[in-house]
mmCIF file of all heavy atoms in Angstrom:
data_model
loop_
_atom_site.group_PDB
_atom_site.id
_atom_site.type_symbol
_atom_site.label_atom_id
_atom_site.label_comp_id
_atom_site.label_asym_id
_atom_site.label_seq_id
_atom_site.Cartn_x
_atom_site.Cartn_y
_atom_site.Cartn_z
ATOM 1 N N GLY A 676 8.242 -2.952 -6.896
ATOM 2 C CA GLY A 676 9.269 -2.568 -5.938
ATOM 3 C C GLY A 676 9.770 -1.158 -6.192
ATOM 4 O O GLY A 676 10.026 -0.402 -5.263
ATOM 5 N N LYS A 677 9.894 -0.773 -7.468
ATOM 6 C CA LYS A 677 10.364 0.575 -7.814
ATOM 7 C C LYS A 677 9.384 1.646 -7.328
ATOM 8 O O LYS A 677 9.800 2.693 -6.853
ATOM 9 C CB LYS A 677 10.579 0.693 -9.322
ATOM 10 C CG LYS A 677 11.756 -0.122 -9.815
ATOM 11 C CD LYS A 677 12.003 0.135 -11.279
ATOM 12 C CE LYS A 677 12.995 -0.806 -11.883
ATOM 13 N NZ LYS A 677 14.275 -0.880 -11.300
ATOM 14 N N ILE A 680 9.841 2.065 -3.637
ATOM 15 C CA ILE A 680 11.071 2.811 -3.355
ATOM 16 C C ILE A 680 10.844 4.307 -3.541
ATOM 17 O O ILE A 680 11.325 5.114 -2.746
ATOM 18 C CB ILE A 680 12.214 2.288 -4.238
ATOM 19 C CG1 ILE A 680 12.628 0.901 -3.746
ATOM 20 C CG2 ILE A 680 13.401 3.242 -4.245
ATOM 21 C CD1 ILE A 680 13.543 0.155 -4.672
ATOM 22 N N LEU A 683 9.133 5.589 -0.467
ATOM 23 C CA LEU A 683 10.068 5.632 0.666
ATOM 24 C C LEU A 683 11.035 6.807 0.546
ATOM 25 O O LEU A 683 11.367 7.448 1.545
ATOM 26 C CB LEU A 683 10.834 4.314 0.775
ATOM 27 C CG LEU A 683 10.017 3.087 1.157
ATOM 28 C CD1 LEU A 683 10.890 1.838 1.135
ATOM 29 C CD2 LEU A 683 9.355 3.260 2.511
ATOM 30 N N GLU A 684 11.471 7.121 -0.661
ATOM 31 C CA GLU A 684 12.369 8.266 -0.856
ATOM 32 C C GLU A 684 11.683 9.579 -0.498
ATOM 33 O O GLU A 684 12.320 10.502 0.004
ATOM 34 C CB GLU A 684 12.883 8.297 -2.293
ATOM 35 C CG GLU A 684 13.905 7.202 -2.566
ATOM 36 C CD GLU A 684 14.328 7.102 -4.018
ATOM 37 O OE1 GLU A 684 13.604 7.620 -4.905
ATOM 38 O OE2 GLU A 684 15.384 6.494 -4.260
ATOM 39 N N TYR A 689 16.889 6.565 1.707
ATOM 40 C CA TYR A 689 17.813 6.551 0.582
ATOM 41 C C TYR A 689 18.325 5.127 0.399
ATOM 42 O O TYR A 689 18.271 4.306 1.310
ATOM 43 C CB TYR A 689 18.972 7.527 0.789
ATOM 44 C CG TYR A 689 19.826 7.243 2.007
ATOM 45 C CD1 TYR A 689 20.952 6.428 1.920
ATOM 46 C CD2 TYR A 689 19.496 7.784 3.250
ATOM 47 C CE1 TYR A 689 21.731 6.171 3.034
ATOM 48 C CE2 TYR A 689 20.271 7.533 4.361
ATOM 49 C CZ TYR A 689 21.391 6.727 4.246
ATOM 50 O OH TYR A 689 22.156 6.460 5.356
ATOM 51 N N GLN A 690 18.817 4.853 -0.808
ATOM 52 C CA GLN A 690 19.304 3.509 -1.099
ATOM 53 C C GLN A 690 20.698 3.345 -0.507
ATOM 54 O O GLN A 690 21.617 4.048 -0.872
ATOM 55 C CB GLN A 690 19.344 3.270 -2.597
ATOM 56 C CG GLN A 690 19.778 1.878 -2.956
ATOM 57 C CD GLN A 690 19.699 1.601 -4.443
ATOM 58 O OE1 GLN A 690 18.930 2.241 -5.155
ATOM 59 N NE2 GLN A 690 20.486 0.671 -4.910
ATOM 60 N N LYS A 691 20.824 2.410 0.418
ATOM 61 C CA LYS A 691 22.114 2.145 1.046
ATOM 62 C C LYS A 691 22.938 1.208 0.180
ATOM 63 O O LYS A 691 24.098 1.469 -0.102
ATOM 64 C CB LYS A 691 21.919 1.544 2.430
ATOM 65 C CG LYS A 691 23.234 1.288 3.126
ATOM 66 C CD LYS A 691 23.035 0.766 4.518
ATOM 67 C CE LYS A 691 24.407 0.551 5.130
ATOM 68 N NZ LYS A 691 24.503 -0.671 5.849
ATOM 69 N N ARG A 692 22.337 0.098 -0.242
ATOM 70 C CA ARG A 692 23.034 -0.837 -1.112
ATOM 71 C C ARG A 692 22.015 -1.741 -1.792
ATOM 72 O O ARG A 692 20.843 -1.727 -1.470
ATOM 73 C CB ARG A 692 24.055 -1.659 -0.336
ATOM 74 C CG ARG A 692 23.473 -2.645 0.646
ATOM 75 C CD ARG A 692 24.578 -3.385 1.399
ATOM 76 N NE ARG A 692 24.030 -4.410 2.245
ATOM 77 C CZ ARG A 692 23.575 -4.226 3.474
ATOM 78 N NH1 ARG A 692 23.612 -3.027 4.008
ATOM 79 N NH2 ARG A 692 23.085 -5.221 4.176
ATOM 80 N N ARG A 693 22.533 -2.514 -2.715
ATOM 81 C CA ARG A 693 21.693 -3.454 -3.456
ATOM 82 C C ARG A 693 22.363 -4.814 -3.390
ATOM 83 O O ARG A 693 23.553 -4.936 -3.620
ATOM 84 C CB ARG A 693 21.560 -3.003 -4.897
ATOM 85 C CG ARG A 693 20.736 -3.910 -5.728
ATOM 86 C CD ARG A 693 20.701 -3.440 -7.174
ATOM 87 N NE ARG A 693 19.817 -4.294 -7.909
ATOM 88 C CZ ARG A 693 18.578 -3.976 -8.245
ATOM 89 N NH1 ARG A 693 18.108 -2.798 -7.947
ATOM 90 N NH2 ARG A 693 17.823 -4.817 -8.899
ATOM 91 N N GLU A 694 21.585 -5.819 -3.065
ATOM 92 C CA GLU A 694 22.076 -7.190 -3.049
ATOM 93 C C GLU A 694 21.165 -8.023 -3.927
ATOM 94 O O GLU A 694 20.036 -8.330 -3.533
ATOM 95 C CB GLU A 694 22.114 -7.740 -1.622
ATOM 96 C CG GLU A 694 23.131 -7.038 -0.749
ATOM 97 C CD GLU A 694 23.205 -7.623 0.647
ATOM 98 O OE1 GLU A 694 22.606 -8.680 0.897
ATOM 99 O OE2 GLU A 694 23.876 -6.993 1.473
ATOM 100 N N SER A 695 21.635 -8.333 -5.112
ATOM 101 C CA SER A 695 20.884 -9.098 -6.091
ATOM 102 C C SER A 695 19.582 -8.362 -6.423
ATOM 103 O O SER A 695 19.629 -7.238 -6.918
ATOM 104 C CB SER A 695 20.630 -10.510 -5.565
ATOM 105 O OG SER A 695 20.031 -11.303 -6.550
ATOM 106 N N SER A 696 18.429 -8.958 -6.152
ATOM 107 C CA SER A 696 17.168 -8.297 -6.496
ATOM 108 C C SER A 696 16.534 -7.612 -5.292
ATOM 109 O O SER A 696 15.337 -7.320 -5.296
ATOM 110 C CB SER A 696 16.187 -9.321 -7.077
ATOM 111 O OG SER A 696 15.823 -10.251 -6.084
ATOM 112 N N HIS A 697 17.311 -7.340 -4.247
ATOM 113 C CA HIS A 697 16.790 -6.683 -3.055
ATOM 114 C C HIS A 697 17.546 -5.385 -2.814
ATOM 115 O O HIS A 697 18.779 -5.347 -2.887
ATOM 116 C CB HIS A 697 16.911 -7.592 -1.829
ATOM 117 C CG HIS A 697 15.995 -8.764 -1.912
ATOM 118 N ND1 HIS A 697 16.278 -9.875 -2.660
ATOM 119 C CD2 HIS A 697 14.782 -8.988 -1.356
ATOM 120 C CE1 HIS A 697 15.282 -10.743 -2.564
ATOM 121 N NE2 HIS A 697 14.358 -10.223 -1.782
ATOM 122 N N ILE A 698 16.798 -4.330 -2.518
ATOM 123 C CA ILE A 698 17.371 -3.009 -2.291
ATOM 124 C C ILE A 698 17.192 -2.664 -0.818
ATOM 125 O O ILE A 698 16.084 -2.736 -0.291
ATOM 126 C CB ILE A 698 16.693 -1.959 -3.192
ATOM 127 C CG1 ILE A 698 16.917 -2.348 -4.655
ATOM 128 C CG2 ILE A 698 17.217 -0.567 -2.892
ATOM 129 C CD1 ILE A 698 16.096 -1.581 -5.633
ATOM 130 N N ILE A 699 18.283 -2.302 -0.166
ATOM 131 C CA ILE A 699 18.250 -1.952 1.249
ATOM 132 C C ILE A 699 18.114 -0.439 1.339
ATOM 133 O O ILE A 699 18.958 0.300 0.850
ATOM 134 C CB ILE A 699 19.523 -2.442 1.984
ATOM 135 C CG1 ILE A 699 19.532 -3.976 2.098
ATOM 136 C CG2 ILE A 699 19.561 -1.879 3.388
ATOM 137 C CD1 ILE A 699 19.967 -4.697 0.893
ATOM 138 N N MET A 700 17.001 0.001 1.934
ATOM 139 C CA MET A 700 16.705 1.419 2.080
ATOM 140 C C MET A 700 16.926 1.807 3.534
ATOM 141 O O MET A 700 16.593 1.057 4.440
ATOM 142 C CB MET A 700 15.256 1.711 1.682
ATOM 143 C CG MET A 700 14.885 1.312 0.275
ATOM 144 S SD MET A 700 15.702 2.273 -0.992
ATOM 145 C CE MET A 700 14.949 3.867 -0.758
ATOM 146 N N ARG A 701 17.475 3.005 3.760
ATOM 147 C CA ARG A 701 17.784 3.445 5.116
ATOM 148 C C ARG A 701 17.320 4.891 5.313
ATOM 149 O O ARG A 701 17.359 5.696 4.408
ATOM 150 C CB ARG A 701 19.284 3.366 5.361
ATOM 151 C CG ARG A 701 19.665 3.902 6.738
ATOM 152 C CD ARG A 701 21.140 3.843 6.959
ATOM 153 N NE ARG A 701 21.449 2.516 7.473
ATOM 154 C CZ ARG A 701 22.655 2.149 7.847
ATOM 155 N NH1 ARG A 701 23.659 2.964 7.753
ATOM 156 N NH2 ARG A 701 22.854 0.942 8.312
ATOM 157 N N VAL A 709 14.939 -0.930 5.860
ATOM 158 C CA VAL A 709 14.022 -1.932 5.322
ATOM 159 C C VAL A 709 14.588 -2.493 4.017
ATOM 160 O O VAL A 709 15.359 -1.837 3.329
ATOM 161 C CB VAL A 709 12.602 -1.381 5.058
ATOM 162 C CG1 VAL A 709 11.902 -1.007 6.328
ATOM 163 C CG2 VAL A 709 12.630 -0.222 4.105
ATOM 164 N N VAL A 710 14.186 -3.697 3.707
ATOM 165 C CA VAL A 710 14.594 -4.358 2.469
ATOM 166 C C VAL A 710 13.391 -4.403 1.536
ATOM 167 O O VAL A 710 12.314 -4.860 1.917
ATOM 168 C CB VAL A 710 15.092 -5.791 2.749
ATOM 169 C CG1 VAL A 710 15.469 -6.489 1.451
ATOM 170 C CG2 VAL A 710 16.266 -5.760 3.709
ATOM 171 N N VAL A 711 13.589 -3.894 0.317
ATOM 172 C CA VAL A 711 12.513 -3.866 -0.673
ATOM 173 C C VAL A 711 12.920 -4.755 -1.845
ATOM 174 O O VAL A 711 13.946 -4.507 -2.475
ATOM 175 C CB VAL A 711 12.254 -2.429 -1.179
ATOM 176 C CG1 VAL A 711 11.141 -2.422 -2.221
ATOM 177 C CG2 VAL A 711 11.935 -1.498 -0.036
ATOM 178 N N PRO A 712 12.135 -5.796 -2.135
ATOM 179 C CA PRO A 712 12.436 -6.623 -3.306
ATOM 180 C C PRO A 712 12.192 -5.825 -4.587
ATOM 181 O O PRO A 712 11.186 -5.130 -4.708
ATOM 182 C CB PRO A 712 11.448 -7.782 -3.213
ATOM 183 C CG PRO A 712 10.866 -7.718 -1.848
ATOM 184 C CD PRO A 712 11.014 -6.320 -1.373
ATOM 185 N N ASP A 713 13.115 -5.901 -5.517
ATOM 186 C CA ASP A 713 12.969 -5.193 -6.792
ATOM 187 C C ASP A 713 12.239 -6.120 -7.769
ATOM 188 O O ASP A 713 12.815 -6.629 -8.720
ATOM 189 C CB ASP A 713 14.333 -4.786 -7.333
ATOM 190 C CG ASP A 713 14.232 -3.889 -8.546
ATOM 191 O OD1 ASP A 713 13.130 -3.371 -8.815
ATOM 192 O OD2 ASP A 713 15.246 -3.709 -9.241
ATOM 193 N N HIS A 714 10.947 -6.338 -7.513
ATOM 194 C CA HIS A 714 10.128 -7.230 -8.322
ATOM 195 C C HIS A 714 9.076 -6.423 -9.077
ATOM 196 O O HIS A 714 8.762 -5.284 -8.712
ATOM 197 C CB HIS A 714 9.433 -8.264 -7.441
ATOM 198 C CG HIS A 714 10.383 -9.154 -6.701
ATOM 199 N ND1 HIS A 714 10.010 -9.861 -5.592
ATOM 200 C CD2 HIS A 714 11.696 -9.437 -6.903
ATOM 201 C CE1 HIS A 714 11.035 -10.561 -5.152
ATOM 202 N NE2 HIS A 714 12.075 -10.319 -5.924
#
Side-chain angles (χ1 to χ4, degrees):
K677 291 185 190 303
I680 289 168
L683 293 176
E684 287 174 341
Y689 60 91
Q690 183 175 335
K691 181 177 180 223
R692 69 182 185 275
R693 179 183 184 102
E694 293 182 10
S695 186
S696 66
H697 291 79
I698 299 168
I699 290 80
M700 302 293 292
R701 176 181 274 184
V709 293
V710 178
V711 179
D713 188 14
H714 298 160

